[in-house]
Amino acid sequence: MANIAEQRIRREFKEVVKSDEVAACNIKVELVNDTYTHLRGEIMGPPDTPYEGGRFQLEIKIPETYPFNPPLVKFLTKIWHPNISSVTGAICLDILKDQWAAAMTLRTVLLSLQALLAAAEPDDPQDAVVAQQYKEHPEIFRRTALHWTSVFAKGPKKDKELEDKVASLINMGFEEHQARVALSTNQWDLTRAAEYCLS
Amino acid sequence: MSEALSSRKAPNQCETLAVKLRLPVTMAQPPSLDTSFGQTSSPNVSLSAYEMSSGSDGSYPFTGKVVGYDYEFVPPVDGRYECTICFGVLREPRQTPCGHRFCRDCILKWLRQPQHRCPVDNEHLSDSMLFPDNFAKREIDNFTAKCPNSKQGCDVIETVKRMPSHLKECPLAFVPCPNNCASVLIRRDLADHMHEHCQNRLVHCPDCGQQGKAADFEEHVQSCPHGKVKCEHCGEEVARREIERHRKDFCQKTNIPCMFQALGCEVQVQRDQLDKHIRESLTPHLSMLCQGMVAIMQRIGINRLSTEGVPLSARELTPTEISGFMSSLVQPLQQLSLETRQPQGAPGDSRSLDSSSVVKTSVSMHRSPSDPKYSMLISSGTQEASGFSHTSGASDYGVKMAPASLVGPVSGVESESLKSLHHDEMLVRHKQSLLELQAKTETLERNLKQKMKQYDQQISELEGKMCNGQYYWRIRNYSRYQREAEHGQTTALHSHPFYTSPYGYKLCIRANLNGVDSAKGSHLSLFIHFMQGENDDLLEWPFNGRIVLSVKDQNECCELRNHVAETLSSKPNLAAFQRPTTPRNHKGFGYMEFLPLNVLRNSSYIRNDTLIIKAHVLPNG
């Protein structure tokens, strides 16, 4: 790893570890290997959002050219959000692309992601299906996001009705995640979800 | 001013001017100095002077990979002195118009990305908008930090400014073994490693005195020709290269065949037992000798030897028998002629002619068989012949007996010898002409070399004339010259002469690669010397004008090139600018401290072992 990248990450790591946000359990960074090229981040779902109380794991890869180029970040925890792919976890956020600035740090990136969870940008979507639902059926979106948070991010609030629908689709012989995606995509309409699964 | 300058005269009578423009401290010298050196106060020069001082911390190669100071500062440094790109403490701080500070290399690297924005607040930003924050730099230079080798136990606390010089000597720093053995050691242990443990250290073989790597020593000991080995027969210790000869000729315990082997004795005994064997086997050996002798006599047709040593049977020799002998002598004679010819093979051997003359005389003797020396000639031919001459006696009896019949077989010998004589003569002649040709080519080669040298000189002279006062001097083999300068062998190098214009002044550059006087060992010194030229009568004296001296940065990356240029103005009262009275004016004019040597070494001023110095001479009017 280039001299400058390693020195940066070493210092940033110290910074995040002793920051106030870590103290408040809002964000967290761990080393995956000893070379500071691969890190594991975690952010807490922001309050007053469907993600509240969830813990979202992030994969952070530091390029050789860091900090002149942004870190490569994606969600490891599955999440229902217009700017995050529900399939791959890829994130659409300007500061991780062309708006990156060398003065930004892991800490600011994680805080920006937290902010993204609180304020989605449906007009610049990563996941078109989610974005459409966000715009057209905000209530269904909220419940879906909450459901995904409880299932994948250990969120505290459970939605009994949605869980039952997933269960009934599973009973019809479909695989659990396939069933959940089908229902989420089809505004929790059982019939259409079943057709979606079969198509 | 001039008194101050003349007090700096170098021992070699050079008017050396130590112009410490390069250090920020002396940048604040009185304005009189600035005016006396022309453009020294121009922004360009002041920037380059600034860059120089930055390089003088000795740890700043322009690689683009250097980041802020990563020391453990005591007391800890305030966050505002940190570069927000590398998070180290600012190295060569640069400030933006929007008020943010970064390390020079960090921000330049950032601005090489497509976006031209401040990394902190996204304000528009470009290279030219950056300016050095020397206030912060001075503060940072005085911050104290623990030596990075504190983990190894170094408890030195040093200022940022002085840290590089401490690190160069820190006994607890990790250093790679200079013998390239791939070991990395603490400097304190280096001497011990290099003398005792390094695989690549040179060791002397105590047997042969040869030098070699320690790693190869074991192997060498096993094969050193001078190493002692034990003879497996007698136990004596003999040098390895002598052992074969020892076994063959000296070892008392090696089995050797009896000297009568050729006569049929098949006994093999240890060398020290041979005498005993000879003594004990007298009788069998004698009988072998006898049998052998008889066999030989039969072979040559002698039945019995007379008591006087004159062969009784000789009288009975018939002409045909004699011719038979003679033909059996042909072979040894041929051999003889071959042997005499051999020394001719050695080139340039003056004896070759003599030996051919020997053949000639021998042939002439053949031609006169009545010559009393005839039998002697034959006797000198071979062993067999001597046997013959003996049996025929020293008299010319045998020859007289049948001179006519001798002619036949001898003529065979003669023609052979004649042939070889002919060959010899040819050889001598060829040799002669070869030598002549060689001498001729050598003369031609010498002339050619002289001409080439002459042309080279003319070309470089012409080049110097056509350069119009802008002369680039490439010092190739820089490291060799630098070494020679360090050892005091050649302290000063002079460039080829050049002219300010085809009808202008003739000058040359002098470089003291290891510095002179007070700059010795620390700086590169550069001077301009005026030379006697063809146009001196046409020109105005003293010289009046400006001279720009520069050292070219040869960094591959054009943006990172930091040429160092200094302008000096002529001073009419200095001897350096008067009309030269010697081929090259002893007095020069220039900078004793042009460029610190550590900067020169740690940067791209030297590429492919070549340093490029440029002189641009601009006469006024």
Side-chain angles (χ1 to χ4, degrees):
Chain A
M1 197 178 201
N3 198 359
I4 187 162
E6 190 180 332
Q7 174 174 336
R8 254 286 291 243
I9 293 295
R10 240 180 327 116
R11 284 164 180 270
E12 279 191 40
F13 199 72
K14 272 190 213 158
E15 182 208 48
V16 181
V17 166
K18 65 180 180 201
S19 69
D20 297 343
E21 292 85 358
V22 169
C25 297
N26 278 333
I27 59 168
K28 196 157 101 184
V29 182
E30 294 168 350
L31 279 181
V32 173
N33 56 16
D34 293 334
T35 56
Y36 293 94
T37 54
H38 194 176
L39 309 170
R40 177 71 42 85
E42 192 182 283
I43 54 175
M44 190 82 142
D48 304 322
T49 67
Y51 310 103
E52 183 173 0
R55 300 194 156 275
F56 297 90
Q57 299 272 327
L58 296 153
E59 178 192 81
I60 305 171
K61 285 186 172 162
I62 306 297
E64 283 274 313
T65 50
Y66 186 79
F68 301 102
N69 291 106
L72 308 169
V73 186
K74 72 172 193 180
F75 274 82
L76 291 175
T77 308
K78 295 220 171 290
I79 183 167
W80 193 255
H81 187 282
N83 302 107
I84 300 158
S85 165
S86 58
V87 183
T88 61
I91 305 165
C92 178
L93 182 61
D94 55 357
I95 61 147
L96 292 178
K97 292 172 181 164
D98 55 337
Q99 289 301 303
W100 168 256
M104 290 175 183
T105 64
L106 292 178
R107 181 175 152 268
T108 54
V109 165
L110 295 184
L111 293 177
S112 300
L113 285 172
Q114 241 181 350
L116 182 70
L117 295 193
E121 293 275 357
D123 294 327
D124 185 16
Q126 175 76 31
D127 196 312
V129 175
V130 185
Q132 199 183 359
Q133 188 183 62
Y134 182 91
K135 283 201 227 174
E136 291 169 10
H137 312 283
E139 182 48 27
I140 295 180
F141 164 80
R142 200 193 60 77
R143 284 181 69 187
T144 312
L146 193 116
H147 171 71
W148 280 55
T149 305
S150 76
V151 171
F152 298 109
K154 303 186 186 104
K157 294 178 191 161
K158 294 189 188 301
D159 191 322
K160 190 77 175 62
E161 186 192 342
L162 301 191
E163 275 170 25
D164 288 346
K165 284 191 178 174
V166 174
S168 54
L169 215 53
I170 292 171
N171 285 339
M172 288 161 76
F174 296 110
E175 191 266 318
E176 178 180 348
H177 188 62
Q178 189 193 15
R180 182 168 292 112
V181 170
L183 283 164
S184 304
T185 308
N186 293 291
Q187 329 307 343
W188 299 93
D189 183 316
L190 261 175
T191 327
R192 273 178 34 220
E195 276 167 20
Y196 179 89
C197 284
L198 289 168
S199 66
Chain B
M1 189 68 212
S2 62
E3 280 86 34
L5 293 171
S6 55
S7 70
R8 283 199 175 270
K9 271 180 195 169
N12 57 355
Q13 289 221 318
C14 269
E15 222 162 275
T16 46
L17 295 174
V19 184
K20 296 190 177 180
L21 287 170
R22 327 216 130 269
L23 301 170
V25 182
T26 46
M27 283 300 288
Q29 275 178 349
S32 64
L33 181 72
D34 283 349
T35 50
S36 63
F37 293 104
Q39 298 187 331
T40 47
S41 54
S42 75
N44 186 22
V45 172
S46 66
L47 180 64
S48 88
Y50 176 75
E51 299 299 356
M52 288 326 309
S53 72
S54 75
S56 63
D57 72 0
S59 60
Y60 202 36
F62 301 97
T63 58
K65 283 188 178 171
V66 175
V67 294
Y69 299 110
D70 190 18
Y71 303 136
E72 188 184 331
F73 286 88
V74 270
V77 169
D78 192 291
R80 65 204 161 108
Y81 293 105
E82 280 176 6
C83 166
T84 44
I85 295 179
C86 67
F87 279 31
V89 170
L90 294 162
R91 190 190 295 259
E92 292 308 312
R94 289 291 187 273
Q95 211 183 110
T96 65
C98 51
H100 297 109
R101 285 192 293 219
F102 308 94
C103 299
R104 190 194 73 155
D105 276 16
C106 290
I107 190 64
L108 286 180
K109 199 170 174 188
W110 169 251
L111 289 174
R112 247 179 282 143
Q113 311 280 325
Q115 64 276 55
H116 286 262
R117 300 177 281 109
C118 169
V120 178
D121 60 7
N122 278 342
E123 286 287 318
H124 171 70
L125 187 64
S126 69
D127 288 18
S128 57
M129 292 159 75
L130 297 170
F131 51 92
D133 186 346
N134 287 341
F135 188 90
K137 179 181 163 57
R138 193 163 302 141
E139 282 184 284
I140 291 166
D141 273 349
N142 290 317
F143 287 165
T144 48
K146 283 189 189 171
C147 169
N149 300 315
S150 58
K151 288 188 205 83
Q152 288 98 258
C154 179
D155 49 11
V156 167
I157 290 182
E158 193 50 280
T159 59
V160 167
K161 195 184 176 87
R162 288 218 294 265
M163 191 66 90
S165 51
H166 165 70
L167 286 176
K168 262 186 220 157
E169 284 149 16
C170 176
L172 292 155
F174 284 115
V175 284
C177 169
N179 288 344
N180 295 327
C181 77
S183 310
V184 175
L185 305 115
I186 292 180
R187 183 176 279 123
R188 194 179 50 190
D189 304 337
L190 189 63
D192 182 48
H193 164 80
M194 286 177 67
H195 283 114
E196 302 293 334
H197 308 293
C198 176
Q199 289 287 294
N200 284 355
R201 73 187 194 274
L202 289 182
V203 287
H204 282 274
C205 169
D207 292 320
C208 67
Q210 266 186 355
Q211 263 194 341
K213 285 184 180 177
D216 303 335
F217 187 65
E218 273 302 306
E219 200 180 318
H220 172 79
V221 164
Q222 296 299 321
S223 62
C224 174
H226 292 266
K228 291 270 191 276
V229 286
K230 215 170 194 177
C231 169
E232 71 268 34
H233 300 300
C234 65
E236 196 181 327
E237 295 223 318
V238 186
R240 185 173 280 108
R241 61 168 191 174
E242 300 283 349
I243 190 76
E244 274 308 312
R245 222 170 63 145
H246 166 80
R247 279 187 206 124
K248 192 163 154 273
D249 295 337
F250 300 108
C251 176
Q252 294 300 317
K253 299 294 177 194
T254 301
N255 276 341
I256 54 166
C258 165
M259 60 171 77
F260 283 85
Q261 190 189 33
L263 290 168
C265 179
E266 301 198 342
V267 172
Q268 293 226 345
V269 288
Q270 290 180 345
R271 184 171 275 113
D272 58 356
Q273 298 295 311
L274 186 62
D275 277 351
K276 197 172 151 218
H277 164 72
I278 300 283
R279 269 200 310 280
E280 284 172 357
S281 313
L282 259 180
T283 323
H285 283 164
L286 201 58
S287 82
M288 285 172 202
L289 193 63
C290 179
Q291 279 166 10
M293 184 72 182
V294 170
I296 292 165
M297 283 166 64
Q298 278 173 353
R299 185 78 186 279
I300 58 176
I302 302 169
N303 294 332
R304 254 186 94 186
L305 294 174
S306 79
T307 41
E308 290 87 23
V310 177
L312 288 173
S313 54
R315 281 184 188 78
E316 293 147 31
L317 286 179
T318 60
T320 41
E321 278 172 333
I322 292 175
S323 78
F325 278 129
M326 291 315 288
S327 61
S328 71
L329 281 173
V330 167
Q331 210 182 345
L333 262 172
Q334 276 175 339
Q335 212 171 344
L336 176 72
S337 103
L338 265 174
E339 278 164 6
T340 52
R341 218 184 309 167
Q342 256 162 1
Q344 267 178 283
D349 193 339
S350 59
R351 283 178 308 172
S352 55
L353 281 172
D354 301 346
S355 58
S356 78
S357 70
V358 167
V359 176
K360 208 181 265 178
T361 46
S362 73
V363 170
S364 70
M365 282 191 274
H366 278 295
R367 282 188 188 141
S368 54
S370 59
D371 192 317
K373 284 179 187 163
Y374 176 51
S375 58
M376 279 174 64
L377 159 80
I378 298 177
S379 73
S380 72
T382 68
Q383 206 59 35
E384 278 174 61
S386 104
F388 173 60
S389 84
H390 182 243
T391 48
S392 63
S395 72
D396 50 2
Y397 165 70
V399 180
K400 268 183 192 163
M401 213 183 75
S405 60
L406 267 171
V407 178
V410 169
S411 70
V413 181
E414 200 171 25
S415 72
E416 283 287 335
S417 304
L418 268 173
K419 222 188 237 170
S420 73
L421 170 71
H422 184 64
H423 281 307
D424 291 340
E425 273 180 359
M426 291 269 281
L427 268 171
V428 170
R429 222 171 286 148
H430 282 308
K431 181 126 194 120
Q432 185 67 28
S433 55
L434 206 67
L435 281 171
E436 281 167 17
L437 276 172
Q438 221 166 4
K440 218 181 255 176
T441 19
E442 269 166 25
T443 325
L444 280 172
E445 207 173 358
R446 232 186 349 262
N447 288 348
L448 201 65
K449 268 186 193 154
Q450 251 169 9
K451 270 268 186 279
M452 288 294 283
K453 211 170 160 188
Q454 207 176 324
Y455 286 143
D456 273 351
Q457 264 171 4
Q458 280 178 359
I459 288 173
S460 66
E461 184 100 345
L462 266 174
E463 258 176 2
K465 275 192 182 176
M466 304 326 276
C467 71
N468 276 327
Q470 281 204 60
Y471 184 73
Y472 284 88
W473 181 23
R474 289 167 195 276
I475 303 182
R476 299 198 164 84
N477 299 324
Y478 170 82
S479 49
R480 181 162 64 86
Y481 287 124
Q482 172 65 30
R483 232 180 358 261
E484 284 180 10
E486 271 167 30
H487 297 162
Q489 290 158 329
T490 325
T491 50
L493 295 177
H494 290 92
S495 73
H496 279 297
F498 61 95
Y499 285 76
T500 53
S501 64
Y503 296 102
Y505 296 90
K506 185 180 181 184
L507 312 95
C508 73
I509 314 170
R510 171 164 71 103
N512 290 73
L513 295 187
N514 202 39
V516 289
D517 280 9
S518 59
K520 196 164 188 173
S522 66
H523 288 75
L524 164 73
S525 309
L526 286 185
F527 305 96
I528 282 285
H529 284 257
F530 279 81
M531 297 178 77
Q532 277 181 339
E534 295 161 13
N535 319 317
D536 287 357
D537 294 327
L538 313 170
L539 297 165
E540 284 186 15
W541 298 99
F543 169 83
N544 177 21
R546 284 179 295 125
I547 297 163
V548 185
L549 280 174
S550 44
V551 169
K552 292 290 171 191
D553 189 342
Q554 304 171 59
N555 201 322
E556 273 182 58
C557 181
C558 300
E559 299 106 89
L560 287 179
R561 285 184 190 163
N562 278 297
H563 305 307
V564 186
E566 287 301 340
T567 306
L568 41 90
S569 292
S570 63
K571 292 172 69 71
N573 53 343
L574 287 184
F577 298 105
Q578 310 302 325
R579 180 171 174 170
T581 52
T582 48
R584 182 171 63 219
N585 194 340
H586 293 309
K587 313 248 176 189
F589 189 69
Y591 301 92
M592 291 217 296
E593 302 184 350
F594 193 83
L595 192 55
L597 289 176
N598 51 10
V599 176
L600 205 59
R601 262 179 232 126
N602 298 327
S603 61
S604 44
Y605 294 112
I606 295 150
R607 267 177 82 83
N608 304 322
D609 209 12
T610 302
L611 173 70
I612 303 180
I613 295 170
K614 181 191 169 189
H616 192 182
V617 185
L618 303 145
N620 284 349

